[in-house]
Amino acid sequence: MIKDKELHFTDIVSGETFENCTFLKTNDLIRISEVSFIDCTFEQSDFTSSEWLDCTFKRVNFANCHFEKSIVYRTKFLTCNLLGVDFSTNSWKNNQITDCRVDYANFSDSKLIKCVVKDSSFKETYFRYVEFKTGFTATHCNFDGVSFLGSKLAKVDLSTSEFDTLEVFSEDLEGLIINQFQASTLIGVLGVIVK
């Protein structure tokens, strides 16, 4: 474990854990695999076209950072601040978000394969035109005001999460997994009037 250091991205070694370290800005393409970051600080906000494989981020602040066109596989975000992060046009596979604030983030035009989110807030986040492959499971999350416009929601499970409003197209609802209380929220999207 490497602790309390100021480092360059070129100092990152696969298989290593970094705790309370600060990573300086880089202009190089970022390709990181098998690394854990605990309580670390990243001085840059632009991670466009980066690649993160088998990584763990714990208590890391990425608020308002840019990860457009990135690849994120088998990676965990644990108790992170992902407020306003732009994950648009990403490819995600087998990732986990737990106990994070992801409000106002943008996952539009991304592919999410076997991703799980738990105990996190996604208020007013964009999941527009997202391809949810082999499902998407959200456990005890807040999805109020989330936009799923243009995203086919088959096998997306929101049944243990909460929301008062969702932005969706009625033709994309087929196969969405919700509970009986959430059904009343979505019935208006289908043009049904309850008297």
Side-chain angles (χ1 to χ4, degrees), residues 91-138:
S91 178
W92 278 40
K93 187 174 183 179
N94 292 352
N95 293 336
Q96 177 183 328
I97 295 176
T98 302
D99 191 32
C100 293
R101 185 170 183 206
V102 200
D103 302 333
Y104 314 110
N106 184 7
F107 289 86
S108 296
D109 298 305
S110 293
K111 291 181 183 178
L112 305 181
I113 303 169
K114 291 185 181 178
C115 291
V116 175
V117 296
K118 301 176 186 176
D119 304 310
S120 297
S121 180
F122 289 84
K123 289 182 200 172
E124 298 188 35
T125 292
Y126 280 8
F127 287 95
R128 291 180 174 180
Y129 300 95
V130 167
E131 187 177 339
F132 292 104
K133 290 191 147 198
T134 60
F136 176 82
T137 304

Side-chain angles (χ1 to χ4, degrees), residues 20-39:
N20 201 36
C21 292
T22 298
F23 293 93
L24 304 173
K25 290 182 181 182
T26 182
N27 291 323
D28 298 333
L29 281 177
I30 298 170
R31 303 280 185 260
I32 307 295
S33 63
E34 299 178 31
V35 176
S36 293
F37 301 95
I38 302 169
D39 295 310

Side-chain angles (χ1 to χ4, degrees), residues 49-120:
S49 299
S50 58
E51 185 175 288
W52 307 87
L53 309 177
D54 302 294
C55 292
T56 298
F57 298 99
K58 189 170 184 179
R59 293 183 303 272
V60 174
N61 182 4
F62 282 122
N64 298 311
C65 288
H66 296 270
F67 285 84
E68 296 99 315
K69 300 177 185 172
S70 292
I71 295 172
V72 186
Y73 287 180
R74 300 172 304 277
T75 291
K76 295 178 184 178
F77 295 89
L78 310 172
T79 319
C80 291
N81 183 1
L82 305 175
L83 177 77
V85 174
D86 192 343
F87 290 116
S88 62
T89 323
N90 270 215
S91 178
W92 278 40
K93 187 174 183 179
N94 292 352
N95 293 336
Q96 177 183 328
I97 295 176
T98 302
D99 191 32
C100 293
R101 185 170 183 206
V102 200
D103 302 333
Y104 314 110
N106 184 7
F107 289 86
S108 296
D109 298 305
S110 293
K111 291 181 183 178
L112 305 181
I113 303 169
K114 291 185 181 178
C115 291
V116 175
V117 296
K118 301 176 186 176
D119 304 310
S120 297

